[in-house]
């Protein structure tokens, strides 16, 4: 449902993303708001005509001339793509995509990678390549502790999916949270306790002032020997060099990495060739036009009607 008594948004929406398809997003938005003018960034002739922006990693100065901007929508979940720039008008609300389908896609990736480690799939893949029938008895999920750092929109969904699969799930967030069947902890004081119990560690935190470099070598060393690390959040949350060294030494048994300090991961990076590492190119979840457009349209109407927007991001907090 769109906001009640909605008037039609005036002004145009500008779209910017190097990863997402303009035509598909335009069509999806116009399904909900047929009169909305949607412009690709290079089509904008008069920046003052732009009232709304739907953007993923816009270049520096992108918003500078948009004097009538009323809403910025991040084409994804991570607000770090907009922090630390000086062209953002303070009074303009910033929202993120909030879409159960996006959360489901992320939970699917986390479940897949957790099961891959829990069911020793890399061991069987290697054995198959040797032509070897190498039996290894499956472990009970209840005996495998999976710690999810970050219990937000995506993290909580993933934690619950893991719990449904029978894993012993721990969760960690800034403020105390309650999730059925998940052993929740909050705050820095409990991080070491959580890490020391993580047979599989799943990183689902936003990249903020507080989380940049959070997983130092010292903290990674607190993981039980042979633990697996899954990072679907942001590369810079982890000391990548330390992680690489610990994967080489065997202290950390394996990793599934979707995000990196530098993206694309440079061709010479040792992680590429490590047999205990699975690399995917930052796609564990993506914004899905068909399901996300409704929420964006709703927020456009809210702004037009002078109502507070949903899913607002606090850029000072960083998420
Ligand atoms: P949310 O903003 O909904 O939730 C963030 C969670 O992290 C909250 O539980 C929050 O705690 C917790 N948190 C934040 N700061 C701290 C801290 N300093 N200490 C402890 N906990 C903290 O995020 P989402 O779940 O929607 O997404 C998480 C991240 O996933 C995004 O920020 C993005 O970077 C990444 N992402 C990656 C994608 C990919 O394809 N690889 C796709 C989409 C997102 P509290 O609950 O107390 O506020």
């Amino acid at each position: 449902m769109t906001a009640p008594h909605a008037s039609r948004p005036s002004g145009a929406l500008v779209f910017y993303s190097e990863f997402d398809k303009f035509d598909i997003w335009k069509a999806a938005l116009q399904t909900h708001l047929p009169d909305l003018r949607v412009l690709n960034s290079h089509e904008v002739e008069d920046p003052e005509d732009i009232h709304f922006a739907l953007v993923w990693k816009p270049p520096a100065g992108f918003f500078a001339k948009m004097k009538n901007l009323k809403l910025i929508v991040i084409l994804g979940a991570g607000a770090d793509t907009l922090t630390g720039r000086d062209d953002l008008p303070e009074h303009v609300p910033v929202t993120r995509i909030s879409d159960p389908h996006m959360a489901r896609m992320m939970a699917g990736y986390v479940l897949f990678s957790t099961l891959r480690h829990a069911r020793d799939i890399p061991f069987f893949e290697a054995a198959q390549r040797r032509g070897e029938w190498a039996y290894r008895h499956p472990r009970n999920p209840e005996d495998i502790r999976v710690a999810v750092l970050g219990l937000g929109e995506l993290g909580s969904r993933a934690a619950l999916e893991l719990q449904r699969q029978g894993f012993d799930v721990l969760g960690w967030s800034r403020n105390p949270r309650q999730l059925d069947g998940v052993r929740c902890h909050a705050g820095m004081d409990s991080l070491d306790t959580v890490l020391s119990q993580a047979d599989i560690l799943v990183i689902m935190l936003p990249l903020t002032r507080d989380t940049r470099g959070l997983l130092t070598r010292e903290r990674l060393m607190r993981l039980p020997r042979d633990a697996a690390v899954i990072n679907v959040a942001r590369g810079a949350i982890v000391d990548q060099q330390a992680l690489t060294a610990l994967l080489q030494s065997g202290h950390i048994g394996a990793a599934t990495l979707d995000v990196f300090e530098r993206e694309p991961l440079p061709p010479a990076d040792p992680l590429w060739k490590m047999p205990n590492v699975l690399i995917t190119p930052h796609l564990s979840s993506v914004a899905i036009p068909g399901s996300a457009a409704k929420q964006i349209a709703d927020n456009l109407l809210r702004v037009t009607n002078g109502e507070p927007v949903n899913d607002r991001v606090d850029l000072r907090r960083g998420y």
Side-chain angles (χ1 to χ4, degrees):
M1 288 288 290
T2 43
H5 313 300
S7 50
R8 285 152 45 171
S10 60
L13 178 143
V14 62
F15 176 93
Y16 183 91
S17 170
E18 287 177 21
F19 299 90
D20 303 273
K21 293 210 162 52
F22 169 71
D23 290 341
I24 295 176
W25 278 97
K26 180 178 176 179
L29 289 167
Q30 288 179 337
T31 303
H32 300 281
L33 299 170
D35 298 330
L36 180 69
R37 281 180 298 125
V38 182
L39 303 176
N40 211 340
S41 55
H42 59 78
E43 295 173 327
V44 175
E45 286 174 3
D46 177 9
E48 298 199 5
D49 182 32
I50 301 299
H51 287 197
F52 314 103
L54 175 60
V55 291
W56 183 249
K57 298 187 177 173
F62 182 81
F63 302 108
K65 291 185 182 153
M66 298 178 189
K67 303 283 181 237
N68 293 314
L69 204 53
K70 294 184 169 68
L71 176 68
I72 298 171
V73 182
I74 299 170
L75 194 42
D80 58 299
T81 53
L82 278 190
T83 47
R85 50 191 297 153
D86 55 15
D87 60 342
L88 283 178
E90 274 231 339
H91 61 281
V92 176
V94 177
T95 61
R96 53 165 284 183
I97 299 242
S98 168
D99 172 15
H101 289 229
M102 187 184 189
R104 182 179 68 183
M105 185 186 273
M106 178 60 97
Y109 184 102
V110 169
L111 192 54
F112 146 74
S113 41
T114 302
L115 285 168
R116 183 173 173 272
H117 295 299
R119 295 301 309 265
D120 299 314
I121 299 302
F123 170 82
F124 297 116
E125 283 173 346
Q128 179 181 345
R129 280 192 285 274
R130 296 193 303 272
E132 207 177 289
W133 185 271
Y135 188 86
R136 185 182 270 188
H137 202 68
R139 290 173 285 169
N140 283 327
E142 286 79 6
D143 297 331
I144 301 175
R145 299 162 299 178
V146 185
V148 180
L149 304 187
L151 296 175
E153 193 159 323
L154 305 181
S156 59
R157 173 77 191 253
L160 289 172
E161 294 287 348
L162 293 166
Q163 189 271 338
R164 265 194 282 277
Q165 277 294 319
F167 290 105
D168 178 5
V169 184
L170 295 96
W172 186 71
S173 53
R174 214 156 66 117
N175 305 293
R177 302 279 303 252
Q178 269 195 317
L179 282 178
D180 276 352
V182 177
R183 294 192 279 140
C184 292
H185 297 257
M188 285 307 293
D189 290 350
S190 61
L191 180 57
D192 283 353
T193 307
V194 172
L195 292 175
S196 67
Q197 297 178 59
D199 299 315
I200 299 177
L201 178 71
V202 187
I203 302 161
M204 302 194 73
L205 293 162
L207 178 62
T208 67
R209 265 193 313 271
D210 297 331
T211 64
R212 184 176 288 278
L214 180 77
L215 293 171
T216 56
R217 181 177 191 282
E218 196 190 354
R219 292 206 174 103
L220 291 171
M221 285 291 291
R222 303 218 179 267
L223 294 170
R225 201 172 171 81
D226 206 30
V229 171
I230 298 167
N231 190 359
V232 290
R234 290 291 182 264
I237 296 169
V238 185
D239 178 341
Q240 190 170 302
Q241 238 185 320
L243 175 65
T244 304
L246 291 171
L247 281 160
Q248 282 163 337
S249 74
H251 185 90
I252 295 179
T256 301
L257 304 174
D258 186 53
V259 289
F260 303 87
E261 277 174 359
R262 269 185 67 197
E263 294 178 7
L265 183 67
D269 196 289
L271 286 170
W272 282 114
K273 297 226 162 82
M274 291 167 60
N276 52 350
V277 177
L278 174 66
I279 289 173
T280 54
H282 197 145
L283 42 62
S284 47
S285 186
V286 294
I288 307 163
S291 50
K294 168 79 185 59
Q295 172 235 357
I296 298 170
D298 204 23
N299 268 337
L300 260 59
L301 290 173
R302 286 178 173 278
V303 167
T304 304
N305 290 334
E307 295 168 21
V309 291
N310 292 323
D311 310 302
R312 189 166 178 169
V313 161
D314 177 349
L315 286 182
R316 264 168 307 202
R317 188 179 67 161
Y319 69 101

